[in-house]
């Protein structure tokens, strides 16, 4: 793989990472290469080999390392996590002048592996590939998938599974947990170096630790509102799975909702519903409060003053989220201007959708395509009691409301049952469903010949109730 690396993270103090080459595998074979993304990164797609993605050959200029981080997992503090099965190959400057990380996930054991095998299996690798690329096509900030390869080795989870590696691209892999790790060690110098690095990289206008905190609060408010607008449930919003850049990261037991219900949970290990759909804004704020605590010492030398300043910044999350949420859901109703009753109109629809167990994606798409969702919001009188208010509001809207509606309401999302059957087929050696899914999800707002099939909600027997962590 020929790339022009410039590895700024590797120039930070050495205690922020552990140098680690990917561990070679038995028999690498390419599954997919994202040629468009490769070109954006200045990488000739044909130079992306199985050996490079599986980690058997380290590209010239790479400086592979595992990053240190800590984190709150399901609310519990874990002082040391870190890349236990991923190595950062290095950074490139893309065609827009943006610095991007290239990481191999599933690349073998590192200094942070604890009891783990350092590996990934094909299922989660393909899920992350498909869902992250779908998220990008939906216009929501996310890490990307550059390539995937199988390793020819067996990984043991619930049973023997084919091993795989995902080459992932991110604005950076710096997480809330990266700051927490240094703060917990009392490493003010390291924290300062990381803060300066994150500011230069993501928010060059931000002033100091407070400016960084405010920028991350705004980015996360935008991100989570984006998730809510497409019915996405991250599933494991631990502080180590929340980026500083505001990109979605770590697609584990994630899923898009079929039937709309606020309490929907997908992870089998999320027994209390901590990371349910409707809790995501609250959890984002909770995670941001952990970032604020980690940064306190850099915000003000006086702890009381620092706490007051940080609390005021955190108070900005709710209004920022609410504004982004309203903007997103207004657009889903075809509205670009603001009127006082808009919030009630949106909530009125969501309540009816919840009662009727209406399909989230298809209900909004029906508003865009036919303007009639009466077959989805099927409870007696439910649609009729909402539609006239919406139609009257739409009539007061200038401009092309049809275009607004179509651009805000995708026809296809990566439905969980399609992702699961795609994984089953791939494990059996058939990558056809993976490639077809990728093709449809690349243009989620278009109606193509395959759209009706991929837009179909699961039949009762196809429903995936939970996505197992099985990573
Ligand atoms: P995740 O749940 O994937 O976000 O991972 C949480 C932590 O567990 C991270 O520090 C990972 O690097 C680590 N981890 C997950 N799976 C493995 C594995 N198979 N081997 C080593 N470390 C792992
Ligand atoms: Mg993670």
């Amino acid at each position: 793989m020929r790339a022009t690396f410039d590895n700024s993270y590797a120039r930070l103090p050495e205690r922020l990472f552990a140098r680690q080459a990917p561990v070679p595998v038995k028999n690498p074979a390419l599954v997919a290469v994202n040629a468009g993304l490769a070109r954006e990164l200045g990488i000739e797609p044909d130079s992306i080999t199985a050996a490079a993605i599986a980690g058997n050959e380290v590209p010239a200029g790479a400086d592979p390392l595992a990053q240190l981080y800590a984190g709150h997992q399901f609310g519990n503090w874990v002082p040391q996590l870190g890349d236990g099965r991923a190595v950062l190959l290095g950074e490139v400057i893309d065609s827009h002048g943006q610095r991007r990380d290239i990481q191999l996930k599933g690349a073998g054991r590192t200094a942070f592996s604890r009891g783990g095998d350092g590996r990934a299996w094909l299922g989660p690798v393909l899920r992350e590939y498909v869902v992250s690329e779908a998220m990008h096509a939906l216009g929501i900030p996310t890490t990307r998938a550059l390539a995937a390869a199988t390793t020819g080795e067996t990984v043991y989870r619930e049973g023997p599974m084919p091993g795989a590696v995902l080459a992932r691209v991110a604005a950076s892999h710096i997480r809330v947990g990266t700051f927490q790790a240094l703060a917990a060690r009392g490493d003010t110098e390291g924290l300062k170096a990381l803060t300066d690095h994150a500011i230069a990289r993501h928010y060059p206008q931000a002033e100091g630790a407070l400016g960084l905190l405010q920028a991350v609060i705004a980015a996360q408010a935008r991100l989570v509102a984006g998730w809510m607008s497409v019915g996405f449930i991250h599933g494991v919003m631990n502080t180590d799975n929340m980026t500083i850049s505001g990109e979605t990261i770590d697609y584990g037991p994630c899923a898009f909702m079929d039937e709309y219900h606020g309490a929907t949970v997908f992870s089998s290990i999320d027994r209390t519903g901590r990371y349910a759909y409707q809790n995501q804004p609250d959890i984002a704020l909770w995670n941001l409060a952990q970032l604020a605590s980690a940064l306190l010492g850099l915000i003000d030398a006086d702890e009381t003053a620092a706490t007051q300043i940080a609390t005021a910044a955190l108070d900005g999350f709710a209004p920022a989220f609410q504004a982004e949420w309203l903007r997103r859901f207004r657009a889903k109703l075809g509205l670009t201007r603001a009127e006082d009753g808009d919030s009630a109109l949106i909530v009125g629809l969501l309540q009816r959708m919840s009662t009727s167990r209406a399909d989230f994606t298809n209900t909004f798409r029906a508003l865009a395509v036919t303007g009639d969702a009466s077959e989805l919001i099927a409870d007696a009188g439910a649609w009729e009691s909402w539609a006239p208010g919406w139609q009257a509001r739409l009539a007061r809207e200038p401009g092309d409301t049809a275009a607004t509606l179509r651009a805000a309401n995708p026809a296809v999302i990566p439905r969980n049952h399609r992702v699961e059957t795609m994984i089953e087929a791939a494990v059996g050696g058939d990558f056809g469903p993976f490639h077809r899914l990728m093709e449809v999800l690349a243009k989620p707002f278009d109606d193509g010949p395959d759209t009706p099939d991929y837009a179909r909600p699961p039949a009762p027997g196809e429903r995936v109730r939970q996505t197992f962590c099985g990573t």
Side-chain angles (χ1 to χ4, degrees):
M1 183 167 82
R2 286 189 305 279
T4 308
F5 285 100
D6 175 45
N7 307 321
S8 65
Y9 205 87
R11 296 192 285 268
L12 287 172
E14 298 236 351
R15 56 194 187 279
L16 272 71
F17 53 83
R19 282 210 159 71
Q20 173 69 56
V23 180
V25 301
K26 206 154 85 192
N27 190 17
L30 274 179
V31 169
V33 171
N34 188 340
L37 177 60
R39 289 193 196 95
E40 206 179 304
L41 301 176
I43 301 172
E44 174 51 48
D46 288 342
S47 79
I48 298 181
T49 60
I53 299 309
N56 287 24
E57 279 172 20
V58 176
D63 190 354
L65 57 86
Q67 290 176 313
L68 166 75
Y69 53 87
H72 280 91
Q73 298 192 309
F74 291 89
N76 303 307
W77 171 241
V78 185
Q80 184 164 306
L81 290 163
D83 289 331
R85 52 153 169 185
V87 295
L88 175 64
L89 281 181
E91 301 150 34
V92 298
I93 308 296
D94 72 12
S95 54
H96 312 287
Q98 291 296 311
R99 181 176 290 276
R100 312 275 288 271
D101 275 2
I102 303 177
Q103 191 205 59
L104 301 181
K105 186 171 174 179
R109 288 180 52 78
T110 75
F112 307 114
S113 294
R114 296 171 290 163
D117 60 7
R119 294 298 182 188
W121 72 274
L122 186 58
V125 164
L126 294 182
R127 182 185 294 112
E128 176 158 346
Y129 198 113
V130 165
V131 183
S132 67
E133 286 301 300
M135 195 69 105
H136 172 70
L138 289 166
I140 297 171
T142 177
T143 63
R144 303 284 307 276
L146 176 62
T150 48
T151 61
E153 295 180 356
T154 301
V155 170
Y156 295 90
R157 294 294 182 264
E158 285 97 24
M161 305 291 188
V165 177
L166 175 73
R168 174 163 84 177
V169 172
S172 85
H173 285 82
I174 304 169
R175 307 142 192 268
V176 169
T178 320
F179 287 86
Q180 289 182 285
L182 297 168
R185 286 162 176 71
D187 182 356
T188 309
E189 285 299 303
L191 203 54
K192 181 80 176 65
L194 180 67
T195 301
D196 292 345
H197 174 88
I199 291 173
R201 202 160 165 177
H202 300 301
Y203 306 106
Q205 279 87 354
E207 283 184 30
L210 176 63
L212 175 66
L213 176 64
Q214 288 166 328
V216 179
I217 288 169
Q220 286 294 336
R222 273 196 303 278
L223 177 65
V224 177
W227 291 354
M228 303 303 276
S229 77
V230 292
F232 177 73
I233 303 168
H234 182 285
V236 204
M237 284 178 74
N238 295 335
T239 56
D240 53 302
N241 291 335
M242 183 183 261
T243 58
I244 293 306
S245 68
E247 288 183 337
T248 313
I249 195 170
D250 276 1
Y251 293 84
C254 61
F256 286 75
M257 276 195 296
D258 296 303
E259 288 171 357
Y260 175 70
H261 187 51
T264 307
V265 172
F266 277 102
S267 170
S268 59
I269 54 175
D270 187 6
R271 294 208 176 78
T272 60
R274 179 180 171 90
Y275 299 143
Y277 172 78
Q278 67 197 3
N279 285 359
Q280 296 184 119
D282 288 347
I283 291 294
L285 177 57
W286 193 92
N287 290 349
L288 291 163
Q290 309 314 312
L291 176 62
S293 321
L295 291 173
L296 276 187
L298 299 182
I299 290 174
D300 199 301
D302 177 65
E303 202 183 323
T304 314
T307 306
Q308 269 168 6
I309 296 166
T311 305
L314 291 166
D315 285 344
F317 177 82
F321 172 78
Q322 190 57 23
E324 281 296 321
W325 185 90
L326 260 177
R327 188 181 64 76
R328 289 267 187 186
F329 277 86
R330 269 197 189 104
K332 291 179 81 65
L333 298 189
L335 313 173
T336 52
R337 282 185 321 116
E339 279 191 21
D340 279 348
D342 291 348
S343 190
L345 190 67
I346 297 162
V347 171
L349 176 65
L350 291 173
Q351 278 166 348
R352 287 165 174 81
M353 286 167 62
S354 182
T355 311
S356 292
R357 297 212 151 261
D359 184 85
F360 183 85
T361 306
N362 291 355
T363 302
F364 282 105
R365 186 67 179 179
L367 298 184
V369 175
T370 62
D372 178 6
S374 59
E375 282 183 20
L376 291 127
I377 300 177
D379 281 18
W383 170 252
E384 292 73 15
S385 64
W386 182 81
W390 173 54
Q391 285 147 359
R393 174 67 184 83
L394 206 54
R396 290 196 296 277
E397 190 72 16
D400 187 354
T401 55
T404 305
L405 277 161
R406 275 192 182 257
N409 295 308
V412 284
I413 44 135
R415 291 198 185 258
N416 213 8
H417 66 294
R418 298 310 285 253
V419 173
E420 294 305 312
T421 51
M422 173 278 288
I423 290 172
E424 272 169 42
V427 169
D430 175 11
F431 289 89
F434 165 76
H435 292 293
R436 280 196 293 282
L437 198 52
M438 287 301 297
E439 223 169 279
V440 177
L441 291 169
K443 292 179 174 168
F445 300 100
D446 290 2
D447 283 301
D450 293 327
T451 303
D453 182 28
Y454 285 89
R456 187 177 58 74
E462 290 175 314
R463 203 162 288 165
V464 183
R465 279 274 165 224
Q466 284 178 328
T467 304
F468 287 87
C469 212
T471 58

